[in-house]
Amino acid sequence: MASITARKPITPTTLTANELADFLVEQATPLRALFQSGNPDTQTGSMVVHDGAMELAKALRAGEIAPVVAQVRLIGINRRAAHYCVRTLTAHRSA
């Protein structure tokens, strides 16, 4: 029997596309320090999350995607981050 899991609804971000792009870059930049990690999972995970966030930021700045679309794509990036035990990124600034 397949289990049914309820998904959390996505709360749209209040940030504009450029603000969200800047915020993603701000969160992803520290991951560069882990590129030379001795742990292969950490090394790979940091590269995957960093590169994914940078691509999202680039698309947001170019106007190719809306902030809510970026949030949906961020879910996939965060799933990969969790797989590699690397920090996840958020689309919301804390108050």
Side-chain angles (χ1 to χ4, degrees), residues 29-70:
T29 300
L31 292 172
R32 291 186 63 83
L34 299 174
F35 284 9
Q36 302 302 319
S37 172
N39 182 330
D41 282 344
T42 301
Q43 185 178 16
T44 302
S46 64
M47 287 180 186
V48 167
V49 173
H50 177 273
D51 293 348
M54 293 303 173
E55 286 296 319
L56 272 182
K58 186 174 155 184
L60 282 163
R61 286 190 179 119
E64 296 172 358
I65 61 173
V68 74
V69 174

Side-chain angles (χ1 to χ4, degrees), residues 1 3-4 12 14 17 20 42 48 77-78 88:
M1 173 181 228
S3 64
I4 298 173
T14 58
L20 180 56
T42 301
V48 167
I77 291 170
N78 284 337
T88 58

Side-chain angles (χ1 to χ4, degrees), residues 8-29:
K8 241 174 37 172
I10 297 174
T11 305
T13 183
T14 58
L15 301 174
T16 65
N18 283 330
E19 290 171 338
L20 180 56
D22 291 341
F23 188 52
L24 288 174
V25 169
E26 181 182 311
Q27 295 177 82
T29 300

Side-chain angles (χ1 to χ4, degrees), residues 73-85:
R73 293 186 183 175
L74 195 57
I75 292 169
I77 291 170
N78 284 337
R79 283 185 182 158
R80 282 178 264 157
H83 174 77
Y84 288 110
C85 299

